[in-house]
């Protein structure tokens, strides 16, 4: 009958989509691989933004330190060159007070600029340990995206799908038993219907025979 055919089709469709043991093992491996990392939605973007800021902090400190060296601390710094010009001015009084004054102002400005660079560098927060942990986490997330991506959303979708497919495999026997139970109930209903029809047919026949007599 139609119901029996539909049940057979559903059962065959279920078996056709049921993962094999090898596929189930692969789904299990995928789940364990992703579960070890436990990525959060949008985590890679949030960490990338933090990494960029941390990278800028490092660049700021390096640049500020370099500027400080160029101005006052390094060999052949601006301060050293200005000192030579200042000495020259003292050796040549004919240059006048204005030349000496300009050398003094330039030296003062250089010192102030160097102090400002050093002060700014000291205020920039840079936790080397946190920065290293940030890079490590981004590397782990990148590896996951390379295997199951290309995006973290694809990774999470892969996890959800693998979890569902593995659940299908584990509940396979339960589903098959449900199909068998449904088939048995259907067979029972069909037998009951057939019996009722036979009884009705016999009653009709008896009534017809009685009426014909």
């Amino acid at each position: 009958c139609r119901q029996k055919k539909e049940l057979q089709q559903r059962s065959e469709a279920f078996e056709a989509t049921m993962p094999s043991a090898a596929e189930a093992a692969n789904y299990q491996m995928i789940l364990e691989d992703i579960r070890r990392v436990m990525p959060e939605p949008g985590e890679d973007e949030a960490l990338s933004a933090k990494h960029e800021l941390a990278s800028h902090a490092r660049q700021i400190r390096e640049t500020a330190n370099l500027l400080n060296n160029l101005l006052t601390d390094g060999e052949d710094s601006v301060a050293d060159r200005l000192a030579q010009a200042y000495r020259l001015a003292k050796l040549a009084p004919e240059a006048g007070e204005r030349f000496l004054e300009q050398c003094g102002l330039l030296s003062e400005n250089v010192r102030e600029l160097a102090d400002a660079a050093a002060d700014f560098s000291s205020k920039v927060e840079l936790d080397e340990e946190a920065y290293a942990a940030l890079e490590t986490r981004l590397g782990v997330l990148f590896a996951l995206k390379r295997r199951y991506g290309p995006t973290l959303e694809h990774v999470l979708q892969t996890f959800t799908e693998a979890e569902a497919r593995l659940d299908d495999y584990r509940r396979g026997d339960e589903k098959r038993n449900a199909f068998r139970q449904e088939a048995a109930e259907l067979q029972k209903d069909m037998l009951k219907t057939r019996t009722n029809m036979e009884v009705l047919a016999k009653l009709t026949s008896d009534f017809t025979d009685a009426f014909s007599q």
Side-chain angles (χ1 to χ4, degrees):
C1 69
R2 180 179 57 82
Q3 291 177 310
K4 184 176 181 180
K5 185 177 181 180
E6 289 178 352
L7 176 60
Q8 181 67 24
Q9 289 174 341
R10 285 192 288 117
S11 177
E12 290 175 355
F14 168 78
E15 293 296 343
T17 58
M18 172 61 57
S20 65
E23 289 173 330
N26 184 60
Y27 289 133
Q28 180 66 39
M29 182 195 68
I30 290 173
L31 291 176
E32 292 174 357
D33 192 24
I34 298 177
R35 194 177 282 121
R36 275 193 295 269
V37 179
M38 293 299 291
E40 296 291 335
E43 181 183 2
D44 57 335
E45 295 179 357
L47 292 184
S48 293
K50 289 183 180 180
H51 183 265
E52 185 176 2
L53 289 176
S55 297
H56 288 166
R58 172 174 288 185
Q59 292 174 3
I60 288 172
R61 293 190 64 171
E62 290 176 352
T63 302
N65 291 335
L66 177 61
L67 177 61
N68 190 49
N69 287 333
L70 289 173
L71 291 173
T72 58
D73 293 342
E75 291 185 13
D76 200 25
S77 65
V78 173
D80 287 343
R81 290 181 178 273
L82 283 175
Q84 293 176 10
Y86 193 75
R87 285 194 296 270
L88 177 62
K90 284 187 175 182
L91 293 173
E94 65 275 9
E97 291 185 4
R98 183 169 179 76
F99 185 66
L100 290 173
E101 183 181 350
Q102 288 176 336
C103 288
L105 289 174
L106 284 173
S107 295
E108 184 178 350
N109 288 337
V110 167
R111 284 194 301 271
E112 288 180 356
L113 182 58
D115 290 342
D119 182 64
F120 184 68
S121 175
S122 66
K123 292 179 180 179
V124 175
E125 295 184 2
L126 179 60
D127 188 335
E128 293 287 350
E129 185 175 345
Y131 184 78
L134 190 61
E135 288 196 318
T136 299
R137 181 64 178 178
L138 281 172
V140 171
L141 293 176
F142 177 78
L144 274 186
K145 291 192 291 185
R146 187 176 55 197
R147 288 195 292 272
Y148 309 113
T151 67
L152 191 59
E153 286 70 24
H154 284 97
V155 173
L156 296 173
Q157 182 179 351
T158 297
F159 181 89
T160 300
E161 291 175 353
E163 197 172 39
R165 296 294 287 152
L166 189 59
D167 185 65
D168 286 341
Y169 177 79
R170 289 171 173 170
R171 298 179 60 185
D173 289 341
E174 177 184 339
K175 189 67 175 179
R176 292 184 185 96
N177 288 334
F179 279 129
R180 283 193 287 267
Q181 182 65 29
E182 188 175 353
E185 292 293 334
L186 182 58
Q187 183 68 26
K188 183 178 179 181
D189 290 342
M190 290 173 59
L191 181 60
K192 184 178 180 180
T193 300
R194 183 182 301 172
T195 301
N196 290 338
M197 290 179 65
E198 290 175 351
V199 170
L200 180 60
K202 187 175 187 309
L203 290 174
T204 302
S205 177
D206 291 345
F207 178 79
T208 302
D209 289 345
F211 183 78
S212 62
Q213 293 175 2

